[in-house]
Amino acid sequence: YANVCTQEAVVSTQSTGTLVAVCKGRYSPPCTSTEITMFLLFVCLIGFAAAQDPFTCGQCDSNDERELRTGCRVFCYISTDNINMTKADLQKMFDSLKNTDGEVESGPFLEAWKRESKMCDGESEAAFEWFATRDPFSDPTVVDQADIDAVWFNLNPLGLPAVNKDDYLVSWALVYATISDPTCESGF
């Protein structure tokens, strides 16, 4: 460890010709291993607190806010690893609901949306309309591949390989504001 002076230092030469700093005033010793350990522990705790998931799949109902509960349910329904959502995850959900023409009609969508999100009929219908109108050039009465591609772009405008929970919740806030009904009594 190097000795640290808090005031002016006087430099002298010993008989060996080596420069030596002689401190005038207070001497500040280097950090002890206990201080370093405490500092590192503090930094780790702050990092741990900042890295907390906004929700945990399987525990969506424990969230205080309805927006977060419903968003958690939708994310966990689509995500296959419950950590991130990928385009493949969204595609898998779409493929599981589509008909032989490669489109998702309102019936299967509404059934799955109400079951998974626990949102009201009117909110589920608004969600279907939101999905079905993402691509302005496709049929607004069904969700087709162009709509799914546009939904993914809405969720992931930066084109990243996956969307984490925090980034998803930014997009979900916009969707929720569009489809939610404050008089709905389900989804709580």
Side-chain angles (χ1 to χ4, degrees), residues 36-57:
I36 292 171
T37 302
M38 294 301 291
F39 174 75
L40 291 176
L41 181 60
F42 177 72
V43 169
C44 288
L45 287 174
I46 289 186
F48 179 72
Q52 290 294 310
D53 275 343
F55 58 81
T56 302
C57 290

Side-chain angles (χ1 to χ4, degrees), residues 55 57-58 60 70-82 85 89-90 92-97 104 108-117 131 168:
F55 58 81
C57 290
C60 297
T70 54
C72 173
R73 291 177 192 133
V74 171
F75 180 93
C76 298
Y77 169 57
I78 296 172
S79 173
T80 56
D81 69 5
N82 293 335
M85 183 187 297
D89 294 339
L90 184 64
K92 183 178 177 182
M93 186 269 306
F94 170 73
D95 291 344
S96 73
L97 300 174
V104 177
F109 181 95
L110 295 175
E111 180 182 324
W113 190 268
K114 286 190 289 188
R115 179 185 66 242
E116 300 300 331
S117 72
F131 270 83
Y168 161 80

